Amino acid sequence: MTTISLSLKGLGKVFETDAMETHALKNVDLEIEKGEYVAVSGPSGCGKSTLLTILGLLDNPSRGEYVLDGENVASLCRDRAAEIRNSKIGFVFQSFNLIDELSVKDNILLPFKYSASKPSNEKLNEKVDEILAKVGLEHRKDHKSNLLSGGQQQRVAIARAIVNDPSLLLIDEATGNLDSENSQQIMDLIESLNEAGTTILMVTHDPVCAARAKRTLKMKDGMLIS
Ligand SMILES: Nc1ncnc2c1ncn2[C@@H]1O[C@H](COP(=O)(O)OP(=O)(O)OP(=O)(O)O)[C@@H](O)[C@H]1O
Ligand SMILES: [Mg+2]
């Protein structure tokens, strides 16, 4: 069995609008092994979120190769991309992307909403309880998510990302607006997920967070420079 979780070769992404072309990613090469914990940092606008979006199969690259678990996934149709995403990938967005009107529980279960193989309600309930215990929010299951603190919302976003037991977890700024204590709790949680075998790629601007990863990459102007 291969030990490579994902590999990118000559990956490029161009955004075209009426007025201009933005080369958000230029010739990115990257290999990440199963079980790795990698941090990516770099200045605002250098392409970090774009890279995660492509790795998470939320968008296709303009050119280049992306192989995930041995499958070429650079230009999948939406359905197949969604299938892979649902079965293997967890995504924590830069701006939590929780749905305000939904309870914590329903936010966490969103990944199952369009999933073909939806477990029974009883199983889903058990799953939510287990995940909430993991992120320390047992007492907030039925709260509306917009009534939670920033750190709690971030933990719900992580809970949602891991509810389908992904082998690859992509995190865009896990601790953006959090104080150092909350930030440390989130980093402990991420580390425990990695220790349990999840491959993690985390974008962060915080050197303290980046230092907790086992490998750090720097991005600049759409390129990985180390
Ligand atoms: N959908 C889009 N359409 C057009 N341009 C885009 C789009 N998404 C991103 N860009 C551009 O691509 C470049 C990279 O953006 P990206 O969001 O990846 O940066 P980032 O490194 O995540 O920045 P930040 O640290 O501020 O989150 C930027 O110049 C941005 O304006
Ligand atoms: Mg970003």
Side-chain angles (χ1 to χ4, degrees):
M1 209 175 95
T2 169
T3 58
I4 301 295
S5 172
L6 65 90
S7 135
L8 305 177
K9 283 205 187 91
L11 198 91
K13 180 68 182 178
V14 185
F15 291 111
E16 293 185 44
T17 55
D18 295 344
M20 59 192 285
E21 266 188 1
T22 304
H23 291 256
L25 295 175
K26 302 169 192 161
N27 214 22
V28 172
D29 292 330
L30 176 64
E31 270 192 3
I32 295 183
E33 293 195 8
K34 286 193 202 300
E36 269 204 280
Y37 179 6
V38 180
V40 180
S41 44
S44 179
C46 72
K48 304 179 299 294
S49 295
T50 305
L51 177 66
L52 278 203
T53 307
I54 291 174
L55 290 174
L57 303 179
L58 294 163
D59 198 1
N60 287 331
S62 308
R63 75 179 82 84
E65 200 178 286
Y66 175 15
V67 176
L68 177 66
D69 285 341
E71 179 175 354
N72 186 349
V73 295
S75 52
L76 295 176
C77 68
R78 276 170 170 244
D79 285 354
R80 178 65 188 141
E83 198 173 285
I84 297 179
R85 230 176 17 245
N86 282 334
S87 64
K88 312 194 164 171
I89 303 176
F91 205 107
V92 180
F93 293 89
Q94 191 163 8
S95 49
F96 316 153
N97 277 11
L98 300 178
I99 299 183
D100 283 349
E101 315 80 70
L102 292 186
S103 67
V104 164
K105 175 185 167 186
D106 289 338
N107 264 292
I108 292 175
L109 291 178
L110 276 175
F112 290 112
K113 196 166 161 99
Y114 303 105
S115 163
S117 54
K118 194 172 160 179
S120 68
N121 282 341
E122 196 187 349
K123 276 256 155 54
L124 288 178
N125 247 324
E126 275 172 24
K127 188 78 201 175
V128 168
D129 289 341
E130 178 196 318
I131 296 267
L132 282 175
K134 215 179 247 182
V135 301
L137 285 175
E138 300 94 322
H139 54 307
R140 289 288 184 265
K141 185 172 171 180
D142 298 312
H143 277 233
K144 290 238 163 62
S145 67
N146 58 348
L147 302 179
L148 301 176
S149 72
Q152 289 171 333
Q153 290 188 28
Q154 185 60 287
R155 280 182 277 158
V156 175
I158 294 177
R160 183 179 59 191
I162 61 175
V163 74
N164 56 347
D165 299 316
S167 52
L168 174 64
L169 183 58
L170 303 168
I171 305 171
D172 204 348
E173 294 290 2
T175 59
N177 303 309
L178 304 183
D179 59 41
S180 63
E181 193 185 326
N182 266 298
S183 167
Q184 205 169 336
Q185 278 178 12
I186 300 278
M187 295 314 295
D188 290 345
L189 172 62
I190 293 171
E191 202 162 286
S192 69
L193 293 169
N194 175 246
E195 277 161 9
T198 313
T199 308
I200 297 180
L201 186 74
M202 171 181 75
V203 165
T204 179
H205 69 273
D206 181 349
V208 177
C209 294
R212 293 188 59 166
K214 292 177 189 140
R215 176 152 70 111
T216 52
L217 302 171
K218 291 243 166 359
M219 253 188 120
K220 199 181 168 202
D221 294 334
M223 289 178 285
L224 284 175
I225 52 175
S226 65

